[in-house]
């Protein structure tokens, strides 16, 4: 009793809350947590989708993201002065300002990394003989006059270029340190490039050597040649002649000089897009803006600004498109978790309402019979729940907003609002439904309704028919075009069907079992079976909650297991074994002793070396496959290679198939080598021996086996022969296996032999797959869904036990007066709870399995697991498979939990006195 | 002469001339005559019927051939089988009967919690069969109050005595202020001698106190009838007497009509009228009155009467019939001032 004087007229809500503070707190906490989860979910999705978009744009190579707006120089029929005026820095800057203004939202320019200027479209030849000329080929230069060089480069030597004289055909220029080193340029060097209408070449004086600032940014990396010269292969000829490509960075005023050169000058404005302000919801507008710029109203405006031949080129649309398709692939899988967890939470909230209504049935019946109206009682109950639930939901929403900043507020508000609404309304609705008419006094409350009412049967049948119809429709339509939420709701639907059917069916076997159990000596077995068979505790709701929770857990676990599995396989596919050592360029033979050194490295168990030659033209053969693409020829050492293939599971074959013909090293185009080929290659070559001409030798091959994949390469097509039979034998790569392989030691061993060889480790590749926020975000949502689902399942079990606990306490008390020992009491409660728990566990496993079967055709985990990996042979599509651990573990958990709860109750009611339960006249 | 409903019905349908002929009612005679009845004749007859005082006219509670059938899993149980009961205003009476005789069903019906299947029931001028949900709610608020057997179930455990008493006033709504409600609660508690329970919660009161507070709760909205189902069932006899005194007090001071269902002989012998229910019908009643004999000694005289229902049916007490071996049928003989009942002597 409180110290303050008690009022004669009780303030309803306050009195109620003070009466049962524990229940009130627990209810508030449940609403708080549920509202938090509900509000956090859409925000978390928003956050990772937004991060995904920003990440995709920020980490994509600048070459793809920049908006490259170009325009040819003013037409030659104009006077030279006006042509040059149109190319001057001030004019270009003015145009740039105009362009930036007309970019449609949500595109925004990152001024730091944007650049404009004049450049040559064609590279021009450096005429000076002192320039490095390997293979007697002169270097080629891109001449460009970029803006803002001073801000993007630090001068290492000399000074920045300032002067240019179009009339004279001279300009000052800067080069990067790398260019200077490779092209042997110094401050003061003069590079001559051909002029168009004059025998006097243009002279470019190097006045400074600069170091790029933020060399990976858009300014330098949109066109990497600006900072890094390329040692390029000359096309045509015998394919082995290399020459240098480099860039000379002219003074800003040097643009007009290019008019007299041969390099087709063009004006360019390379605008780097800013991504920090974009959100996932901007994606459609962003796509529209890019489309408009590359070929729509936006382009018209661009042309108004820069001239009629202005063009816009960008890879941004493809990036955004890839993002969109990833989002579309991930969203339905995430939605499955969302629906599942939402349904469980809703059912648990409904169960709390049911529990409260059940516990207060007597009180409400008294109120109703003393003249409380439906509306009056409803409003009072609404007040009670509202006072608790609304602030709790608000707090949950606030916490979610604080915990996950940078996402939309409205979906979170709606979700938390739905939770609040459900929490507030469920107790009054349930109570009013029970007490819509006043309950007669003195009715018995321990009568189990053996048969549910007709109205209930009809309602359940209707629900069942609807759910079955939805699932059948889903099955017939297929889940591949996951365009709506029917697919995502499938687990809930299947669980609903199972719950409705199982609740009706499961008492039957129990009642049958109770008959023979009657003849047993102990009473406990029969009693518990009989009670479990007639108990009203197994409502549809708790079973539904458990089934949905178990299904969600099974589905989520299977998704996570499938993703992990796909990543393992993809990583293995990429490297071919635990580690792969290959040269940094093609066709570099392994240095002598490298294989032995690798074999000796820590953790290495097996090593195989092989030779790869790419681009072998295939003869027409059977001609069934018309494509004439070059395929890689792989020369292997069959025994060790087969061991690796068997261990990885990628196209193992019997080593004897590739038995050496003993013709190694000989030049003999007529000899026939056995070969293993990919299906594509086999279809092309047919079964007859076909001639192969490769640098490794000319010979005929006969296909002896067809495999879809092989460890040596991750591509789809290959031709595998015994390396010992090749004319020119030179192994180019090696695979090493060993479960506890030490990457550092391996790298050290390889580096000691040659600096040009690098090591790829399976474990490192595996780790690299998880870099996208979309994937890790979706995964963490799954983890959270499994965790929350487990929590709600526990709650559902506890709530259903709580609901019937007074009745069981009475039973125990009565039986104890008849001589039931505590041990027997424990056994009774345990055995009674067991059938329901088993039912939920078995049902949950079945429903989870069925759901995975139902949804598997429509779920491709490939996008979730490996977004950034190009198609790997043998890994097209990662199907969803039922993961036995994910199915079994939560189900076992439910049984254990139910048993534990029963034991605790038996212990608890054994400790308490039983006077209250045995009170005469209490009808319970 | 009273016309029973059965003969009326058969007469109206004209189904059986013989039935009509045996009956002496107006309807029966009209069908036996072949001449058409004039409209004015019919109107006159209807008016005469209407103006005649109805059954139980003037009584506060009038149950007429009340039937209540429960159906559970397709099995019908007839809890009330045509029960007749009249209770005058201001009466304090008791209902007795074996378990399952229909007492509780009758109480639930009178409390407005249950609806009879057939028959007629009127309490304070309100027809219990014709009320809709709203009227029934008003009825529960204004006309009846009740006290149940389980002391713990009459009161909300988390409210104090005074709060429990003002709860029905709160539930009823209306414009009376908090202070007025509090004053009314105080007044009732004081009248019933439990003013000290004002600020106590039910678990801090004794059983008798709880039951007296429950009576105060039942009286809160000043009902015309107070129903009590075994109010002393859980109490010892001394406490039971206190509770019964509280009922008497309410009856005397507030003029509330009180119907008590009881097994308690002490209670049954305290009231003026005890009605026994057997197999869903009122079977007998005991009336008590104090007589002053020649020597000026006051003595309580109790007389048991068998109930005669409106169809003329009579329930003979089981011990009477068994004593005389009456079975199946008896012989009746109408005398000038009584009816003789003899065992069937056909076989003898």
């Amino acid at each position: 009793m409180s110290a303050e004087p008690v009022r004669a007229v009780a303030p309803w809500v306050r009195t109620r809350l003070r009466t049962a503070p524990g229940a009130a707190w627990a209810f508030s906490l449940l609403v708080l947590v549920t509202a938090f989860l509900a509000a956090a979910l859409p925000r978390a999705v928003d956050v990772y989708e937004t991060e995904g978009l920003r990440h995709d744009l920020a980490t994509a190579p600048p070459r793809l993201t920049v908006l490259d707006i170009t325009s040819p120089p003013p037409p030659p029929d104009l006077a030279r002065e006006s042509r040059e005026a149109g190319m001057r820095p001030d004019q270009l800057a003015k145009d740039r300002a105009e362009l930036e203004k007309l970019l449609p939202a949500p595109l925004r320019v990152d001024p730091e990394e944007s650049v404009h200027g004049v450049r040559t479209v064609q590279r021009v030849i450096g005429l000076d003989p002192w320039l490095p000329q390997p293979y007697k080929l002169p270097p080629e230069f891109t001449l460009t006059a970029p803006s803002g060089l001073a801000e993007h480069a630090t001068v290492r030597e000399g000074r920045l270029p300032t002067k240019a004289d179009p009339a004279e055909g001279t300009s000052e220029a800067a080069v990067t340190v790398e260019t200077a080193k490779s092209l042997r340029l110094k401050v003061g060097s003069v590079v001559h490039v051909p002029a168009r209408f004059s025998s006097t070449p243009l002279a470019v004086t190097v006045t400074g050597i600069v170091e790029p600032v933020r060399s990976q940014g858009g300014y330098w990396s949109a066109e990497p040649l600006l900072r890094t010269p390329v040692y390029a292969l000359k096309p045509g000829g015998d394919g082995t002649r290399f020459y240098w490509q480099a860039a000379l960075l002219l003074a800003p005023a040097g643009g007009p000089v290019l008019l007299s050169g041969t390099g087709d000058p063009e004006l360019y404005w390379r605008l780097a897009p800013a991504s920090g302000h974009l959100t996932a919801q901007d994606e459609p507008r962003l796509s529209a803006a890019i489309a408009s710029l590359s070929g729509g109203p936006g382009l018209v405006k661009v042309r108004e600004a820069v001239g009629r031949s202005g063009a816009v080129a960008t890879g941004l649309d493809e990036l955004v498109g890839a993002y969109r398709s990833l989002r579309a692939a991930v969203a339905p899988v995430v939605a499955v978790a969302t629906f599942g967890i939402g349904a469980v939470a809703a059912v648990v909230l409904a169960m709390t309402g049911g529990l409260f209504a059940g516990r207060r049935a007597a009180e409400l019946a008294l109120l109703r019979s003393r003249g409380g109206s439906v509306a009056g009682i409803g409003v009072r109950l609404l007040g009670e729940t509202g006072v608790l639930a609304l602030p709790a939901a608000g707090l949950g929403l606030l916490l979610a907003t604080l915990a996950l900043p940078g996402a939309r507020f409205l979906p979170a508000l709606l979700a938390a609002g739905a939770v609040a609404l459900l929490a507030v309304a469920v107790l009054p609705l349930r109570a009013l439904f029970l007490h819509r008419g006043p309950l007669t006094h003195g009715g018995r409350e321990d009568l189990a309704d053996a048969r549910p009412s007709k109205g209930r049967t009809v309602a359940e049948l209707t629900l069942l028919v609807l759910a079955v119809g939805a699932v059948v429709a889903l099955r017939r339509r297929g889940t591949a075009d996951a365009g709506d939420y029917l697919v995502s709701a499938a687990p809930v639907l299947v669980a609903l069907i199972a719950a409705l059917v199982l609740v009706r069916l499961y008492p039957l076997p129990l009642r049958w079992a109770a008959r023979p159990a009657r003849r047993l000596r102990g009473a406990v077995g029969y009693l518990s079976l009989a009670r479990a068979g007639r108990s009203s505790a197994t409502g549809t709701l708790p079973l539904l909650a458990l089934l949905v929770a178990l299904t969600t857990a099974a589905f989520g676990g299977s998704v996570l297991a499938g993703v992990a599995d796909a990543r393992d396989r993809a990583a293995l596919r990429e490297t071919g074994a635990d580690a792969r050592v290959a040269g940094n360029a093609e066709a570099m033979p392994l240095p002598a002793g490298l294989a032995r050194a690798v074999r000796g490295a820590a953790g290495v168990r097996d090593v195989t070396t092989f030779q790869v030659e790419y681009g072998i033209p295939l003869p027409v053969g059977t001609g069934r496959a018309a494509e004439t693409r070059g395929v890689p020829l792989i020369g292997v050492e069959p025994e060790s290679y087969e061991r690796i293939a068997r261990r990885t599971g990628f196209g193992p074959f019997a080593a004897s198939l590739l038995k050496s013909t003993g013709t190694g090293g000989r030049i003999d185009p007529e000899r026939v080598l056995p070969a293993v080929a990919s299906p594509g290659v086999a279809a092309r070559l047919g079964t007859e021996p076909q001639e192969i001409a490769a640098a490794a030798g000319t010979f005929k091959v006969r296909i002896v086996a067809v495999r879809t994949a092989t460890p040596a390469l991750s591509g789809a097509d290959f031709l595998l022969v015994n390396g010992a039979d090749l004319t020119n034998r030179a192994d180019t790569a090696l695979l090493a296996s060993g479960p506890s392989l030490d990457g550092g030691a391996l790298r050290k061993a390889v580096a000691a032999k040659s600096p040009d060889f690098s090591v790829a480790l399976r474990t490192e590749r595996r780790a690299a797959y998880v870099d996208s926020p979309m994937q890790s975000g979706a995964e963490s949502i799954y983890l959270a869904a499994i965790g929350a689902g487990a929590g709600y399942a526990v709650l559902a079990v506890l709530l259903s036990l709580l609901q019937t606990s007074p009745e069981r306490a009475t039973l125990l008390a009565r039986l104890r007066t008849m001589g039931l020992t505590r041990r027997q009491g424990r056994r009774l409660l345990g055995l009674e709870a067991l059938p329901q728990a088993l039912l939920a566990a078995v049902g949950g496993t079945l429903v989870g399995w069925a759901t995975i079967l139902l949804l598997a055709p429509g779920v491709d985990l490939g996008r979730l697991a490996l977004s950034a990996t190009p198609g790997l042979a043998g890994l097209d599509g990662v199907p969803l498979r039922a993961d036995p651990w994910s199915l079994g573990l939560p189900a076992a958990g439910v049984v254990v939990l139910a048993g534990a709860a029963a034991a605790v109750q038996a212990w608890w009611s054994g400790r308490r006195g039983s006077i209250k339960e045995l009170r005469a006249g209490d009808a319970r | 002469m009273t016309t029973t409903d059965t003969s009326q019905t058969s007469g109206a349908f004209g189904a059986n001339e013989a039935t009509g002929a045996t009956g002496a009612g107006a309807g029966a005679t009209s069908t036996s005559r072949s001449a058409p009845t004039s409209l004015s004749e019919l109107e006159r007859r209807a008016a005469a019927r209407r103006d005649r005082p109805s059954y139980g006219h003037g009584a506060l509670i009038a149950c007429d051939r009340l039937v209540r059938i429960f159906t559970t899993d397709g099995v019908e149980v007839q809890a009330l089988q045509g029960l007749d009961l009249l209770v005058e205003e201001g009466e304090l009476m008791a209902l007795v009967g074996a378990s399952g005789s229909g007492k509780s069903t009758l109480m639930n019906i009178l409390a407005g919690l249950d609806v009879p299947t057939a028959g007629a029931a009127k309490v304070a001028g309100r027809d219990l069969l014709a009320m809709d949900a709203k009227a029934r709610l008003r009825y529960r608020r204004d006309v009846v109050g009740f006290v149940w057997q389980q002391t713990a179930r009459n009161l909300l455990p988390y409210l104090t005595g005074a709060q429990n008493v003002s709860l029905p006033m709160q539930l009823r709504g209306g414009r009376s202020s908090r202070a007025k409600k509090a004053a009314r609660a105080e007044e009732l508690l004081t009248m019933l001698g439990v003013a000290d329970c004002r600020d106590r919660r039910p678990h801090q009161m004794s059983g008798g106190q709880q039951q007296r507070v429950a009576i105060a709760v039942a009286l809160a909205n000043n009902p015309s009838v107070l129903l009590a189902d075994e109010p002393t069932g859980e109490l010892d006899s001394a406490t039971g007497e206190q509770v019964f005194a509280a009922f008497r007090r309410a009856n005397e001071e507030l003029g509330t009509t009180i119907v008590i269902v009881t097994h308690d002989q002490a209670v049954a012998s305290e009231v003026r009228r005890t009605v026994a229910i057997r197999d869903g019908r009122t079977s007998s009643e005991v009336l008590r009155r104090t007589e002053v004999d020649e020597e000026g000694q006051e003595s309580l005289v109790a007389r048991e009467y068998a109930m005669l229902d409106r169809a003329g049916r009579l329930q003979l007490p089981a011990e009477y019939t068994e004593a005389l071996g009456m079975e199946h049928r008896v012989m009746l003989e109408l005398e000038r001032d009584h009816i003789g009942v003899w065992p069937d002597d056909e076989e003898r």
Side-chain angles (χ1 to χ4, degrees), chain A residues 138-307:
Chain A
E140 292 181 1
F141 288 101
T142 291
L143 301 183
T144 176
S147 63
L149 189 59
E151 293 88 55
H152 291 91
T154 47
V155 180
R156 286 270 170 268
E157 271 179 61
R159 59 173 174 84
L160 288 177
T162 48
K163 275 178 268 176
D165 187 348
E168 291 276 319
T170 60
S171 173
E172 294 180 346
V175 290
T176 61
V177 176
E178 284 180 81
T179 309
K181 188 180 153 212
S182 301
L183 275 292
R184 290 188 231 136
L185 296 173
K186 292 181 188 62
V187 174
S189 306
V190 181
V191 178
H192 291 90
V193 297
R196 191 186 287 241
F197 302 117
S198 159
S199 56
T200 326
L202 302 181
V204 179
T205 312
V206 176
T207 61
I209 294 174
V210 298
E211 180 84 41
V213 175
R214 292 193 306 277
S215 62
Q216 296 308 313
Y219 186 91
W220 290 105
S221 287
E223 203 177 344
L225 187 64
L226 292 186
R227 56 173 159 79
T228 313
V230 176
Y231 192 54
L233 189 73
K234 187 80 180 171
D238 55 5
T240 49
R241 300 194 304 156
F242 289 88
Y243 70 105
W244 283 103
Q245 295 175 356
L248 298 174
L249 311 168
L250 302 188
V257 176
L258 300 181
L259 279 177
S260 3
T262 53
D264 277 349
E266 73 173 2
L267 316 180
Y268 69 92
W269 297 265
R270 208 157 51 210
L271 306 180
S275 62
H277 66 288
L278 291 173
T279 64
Q281 286 69 48
D282 288 331
E283 183 271 315
R285 276 166 65 224
L286 187 58
S287 296
I290 297 165
S292 159
L293 269 183
S294 0
L299 183 60
V300 174
K301 282 192 200 146
V302 166
R303 286 185 174 158
E304 278 168 12
V306 304

Side-chain angles (χ1 to χ4, degrees), chain A residues 1 6-10 12 15-16 19 363 366-373 438 440-441 445 920-922, chain B residues 108 113 137 140-141 146 148 150 153-154 156 158-160 162-163 166-167 170-171 178 182 199 201 217 234:
Chain A
M1 238 171 143
V6 184
R7 297 197 214 182
V9 181
W12 183 259
T15 311
R16 268 304 313 174
T19 303
E363 173 200 329
L366 183 63
L367 284 182
R368 196 82 177 86
S369 55
R370 287 241 191 267
S373 62
T440 53
H441 190 83
E445 288 155 29
D922 207 334
Chain B
N108 275 327
L113 301 177
L137 183 66
R140 285 202 303 275
R141 284 177 175 176
F146 42 80
W148 307 120
Q150 287 90 30
R153 289 223 178 167
N154 284 312
L156 289 184
Y158 48 84
L159 297 183
T160 63
Q163 287 173 341
S166 38
L167 184 65
Q170 272 177 285
L171 290 173
R178 269 167 190 239
D199 291 339
R201 293 200 165 71
V217 173
E234 285 188 353

Side-chain angles (χ1 to χ4, degrees), chain A residues 308-337:
Chain A
R308 285 166 57 191
S309 308
V312 179
T314 182
L316 205 54
D317 50 347
E318 277 173 30
L319 283 176
V320 175
Y323 167 77
R324 182 175 47 227
S325 75
L326 176 61
R327 190 177 164 198
V330 169
V333 183
V334 169
V336 171

Side-chain angles (χ1 to χ4, degrees), chain A residues 85 105 131 324 341 368 384 412 562 596 607 711 781 787 792 817 853:
Chain A
L131 290 167
R324 182 175 47 227
I341 190 73
R368 196 82 177 86
E384 274 178 47
R596 198 175 324 122
V607 168
I781 285 213
Y792 281 117
T817 62
L853 278 193

Side-chain angles (χ1 to χ4, degrees), chain B residues 60-63 66 105-133 135-136 139-140 143-144 225 227:
Chain B
L60 187 71
I61 299 176
C63 297
L66 214 50
T105 309
L106 177 64
M107 292 303 266
N108 275 327
I109 289 174
L110 292 181
L113 301 177
D114 199 0
V115 188
T117 313
K122 268 192 176 175
V123 177
R126 306 190 191 214
D127 187 347
L128 291 186
L129 276 94
M131 284 194 290
D132 59 358
R136 198 168 291 281
Y139 171 79
R140 285 202 303 275
V143 181
V144 287
V225 188
L227 305 169

Side-chain angles (χ1 to χ4, degrees), chain B residues 60 89-90 123-124 142-145 221-226 255-258:
Chain B
L60 187 71
E89 185 155 10
V123 177
D142 300 336
V143 181
V144 287
N221 282 336
N222 204 11
S224 320
V225 188
L226 175 59
T256 313
T257 310
I258 295 178

